[in-house]
Amino acid sequence: FNGIEMLAAEMYRLVNLFFYVFAYDDIDVSGSVIPLAIRMIGMMEKEVGNKARISDFPFQITKHVPQLMAVMYQQMQYPPDFEFDYEDEDDAEEEMYRSELRKLNQSLIRTCPDENLQFLRDALSKIELPLSSSPTPTIEASLRLVYHYCEGIRPAPGINKVMKNDTFREVLIALHSSDITDHPHREVLILYYSVAVRYAAIFKQRPELLPTVLSSITGTKGLQHDHCRVRSRSCYYLLKLVKALGTLLLPYVETAVQGILGLLSNVSTLPLDSSDSLYLFEAIGLLIGKSGLDEANQCNYLKAVITPHVHRIEAILNDPNLLRDPESFGEILAHNLAGLAYLSKGFSKKTSNETKLVLLETVPVALKVLSSIPSHEYVRDKSMIYLQRMILCLGEKFLTALPHFIELLIEHCTNEDILSVSQLLIQVCFKYKKNAIPVLDGCVLPFLSKCHNSMPNVTVMNSDRSAIPPHLVTEQHSILKIIYAFLHQIVSECADVLLTSTNVSSLEHILRTMGEGAIQINEPVMKKTCVQFFKELTIQWISEKNPSPEVFNVRNGFIQYLLEEFFPGMFDCFIAKGFDDDDAMQYRVIREVSFILYEVK
């Protein structure tokens, strides 16, 4: 017994030494014992799970939980002269140290969530009122405790559980009822808005708290703040709030839309980064499309946003300096085009026809932008984003405009964005299926030609693959993946496009391209894609009992190719030394070929 007491006394001395080092006013010294603190929390978990067995033991680490929380909270507070300049080496070290403390706090919350919540509440209650004049290090650390609390709650996501906790909700209500938005430090404002967004569900329970937050984040304490970082983060957090609250924002749509439009048109006074203004365009779109506005108001608000924006784009297009400095003007035009794309995120295929007609009015100016400088990479990139959004929003109404865009994109795309063009074409196939045939008819062969021209010297590579540098092989395979995926999607959704008068003469070449992929390429996914291409054609061209005249005209030639080239080549693959029929992907290839063989027999 005396030995146990002596051991406990020694443990208490060691713990006191730990807290002395942990509380030391130097992050290098204090940070050195954070791993030990994590081990202590591990011991606490064991003690919490075995309370009955250790209740009589003279040393219990759980008795030190309040002290650990107090020291951790004290160390989380930045020095009074901290500048929050994360590019500064010293400030970056301070931030790294506090990120480790936050991880420690999460572990502590998992072990004793109730005690941690009580400490959080006490810490906030001890801050001198009003919060607007509280010391920055203290209020910042307290907000951090609130923000990160849900991260340690189990089961995940912890936010669902904490929003049912009356004590935690009281903390949020008190915070939103305070004057914290009048605090002069920018980082306190930013952190408060992040708390408001993370726990936005409180506004559904207490909607009377929402006007104050919206007024702050859209006013001079947020979007119109003097500091660019506050403006930037406010753009993002406003978007997150709009996404989280939906129809709860209906009473504020008019004020919010007018305020955001005013900010977007006044970038010379309050400049915004391009990504920040796109957050605002998306927020406007969601406010108009998802907040519960009736159809007439949706159209009116959307016209009020789109009309001046289209006029700005047209003014740029008519600027005589456009051709003299296409690089600079291209970035401006691309950004404005992206604004239209992000604005459309508030709408979907279920949008009313009247609203779709308003969105359709943006198509001519978008085509002018791409036609004016199609060689500009940024313009092409944002044009494709715009097209993808319009396909989702406008549906069949957008079909007739697509060929003009796609023709320009195929003609001017490079190795850097040819994958994006292929993804757009695949989206057209998937979305419109057989209705996409008129759109794809004139672009299948130009796109395949563009892909082949983008590959390294295929002749040399086919003659002696072992002599080709690996990076060229990788480059060739990346282009071949694009070709195979595109053609596979074609035959899956609208195979008849291969039989049009434009493309049927190249059918044999297309079959050989996919056949070479199935037979010669060893990469499992590429091989499987090529084999599935032939399976899809077999189902549609051979299994079908009443084929169309176009299919009937090519069916015999297709069967002849399968018998003379495809099957012999695949059988050679199966008996090759490197083929592993125990591999799931390779076995899948065997099954697909067996299906084709059965249908042809």
Side-chain angles (χ1 to χ4, degrees), residues 387-393 395 398 424 427-428 431-432:
L387 292 176
Q388 289 164 352
R389 286 299 316 158
M390 291 300 109
I391 289 171
L392 293 174
C393 294
F398 193 52
L424 175 64
Q427 183 187 9
V428 171
K431 176 69 176 180
Y432 297 114

Side-chain angles (χ1 to χ4, degrees), residues 32-51:
S32 66
V33 296
I34 290 180
L36 179 56
I38 294 174
R39 294 292 296 272
M40 289 175 65
I41 293 174
M43 292 175 61
M44 291 176 188
E45 288 181 320
K46 294 179 181 179
E47 288 188 7
V48 170
N50 298 278
K51 286 183 179 180

Side-chain angles (χ1 to χ4, degrees), residues 106-211:
Q106 290 178 32
S107 300
L108 201 53
I109 294 170
R110 283 195 295 269
T111 304
C112 41
D114 294 336
E115 292 87 342
N116 196 285
L117 180 56
Q118 186 59 47
F119 178 84
L120 183 158
R121 184 181 183 183
D122 293 343
L124 280 169
S125 64
K126 290 177 183 178
I127 300 176
E128 294 184 6
L129 298 177
L131 293 184
S132 59
S133 60
S134 60
T136 297
T138 305
I139 189 64
E140 197 275 344
S142 300
L143 287 172
R144 284 285 176 192
L145 292 179
V146 177
Y147 180 77
H148 292 289
Y149 181 71
C150 68
E151 296 174 2
I153 299 298
R154 294 294 180 268
I159 193 167
N160 294 336
K161 188 173 181 179
V162 301
M163 292 309 298
K164 298 176 183 178
N165 187 303
D166 290 337
T167 302
F168 190 77
R169 289 205 303 268
E170 289 174 4
V171 170
L172 293 177
I173 292 170
L175 187 61
H176 291 310
S177 302
S178 71
D179 65 344
I180 192 170
T181 55
D182 292 329
H183 198 283
H185 202 285
R186 67 180 188 276
E187 294 299 326
V188 172
L189 285 173
I190 292 171
L191 188 51
Y192 168 68
Y193 293 144
S194 68
V195 169
V197 168
R198 170 163 281 190
Y199 303 108
I202 193 66
F203 299 121
K204 296 179 180 179
Q205 302 170 13
R206 299 289 297 270
E208 69 273 13
L209 300 173
L210 184 56

Side-chain angles (χ1 to χ4, degrees), residues 292-361:
L293 286 172
D294 59 62
E295 186 177 300
N297 278 322
Q298 270 193 1
C299 292
N300 291 335
Y301 281 122
L302 194 56
K303 287 179 181 178
V305 176
I306 285 178
T307 302
H309 191 69
V310 168
H311 289 164
R312 282 195 294 270
I313 296 176
E314 290 175 338
I316 298 170
L317 289 170
N318 294 327
D319 193 307
N321 294 315
L322 173 62
L323 298 178
R324 299 174 192 168
D325 188 9
E327 190 64 30
S328 299
F329 278 85
E331 290 186 11
I332 298 172
L333 286 169
H335 172 68
N336 280 277
L337 193 56
L340 293 174
Y342 278 70
L343 178 69
S344 71
K345 287 189 176 184
F347 307 92
S348 65
K349 62 181 180 181
K350 297 180 180 179
T351 301
S352 67
N353 287 330
E354 289 73 13
T355 305
K356 286 181 180 179
L357 291 176
V358 177
L359 289 171
L360 201 59
E361 293 175 5

Side-chain angles (χ1 to χ4, degrees), residues 68-95:
L68 182 60
M69 290 180 181
V71 175
M72 181 186 65
Y73 173 62
Q74 182 62 40
Q75 296 297 86
M76 286 177 69
Q77 299 179 28
Y78 289 98
D81 60 346
F82 188 70
E83 296 293 333
F84 292 92
D85 180 7
Y86 302 123
E87 295 182 359
D88 179 81
E89 186 175 343
D90 293 336
D91 282 8
E93 289 179 1
E94 291 277 357
E95 176 60 22

Side-chain angles (χ1 to χ4, degrees), residues 494-514:
C494 47
D496 289 348
V497 75
L498 299 179
L499 303 179
T500 65
S501 58
T502 306
N503 300 316
V504 69
S505 60
S506 299
L507 179 59
E508 182 179 356
H509 177 72
I510 291 173
L511 293 177
R512 291 187 187 281
T513 297
M514 297 302 284

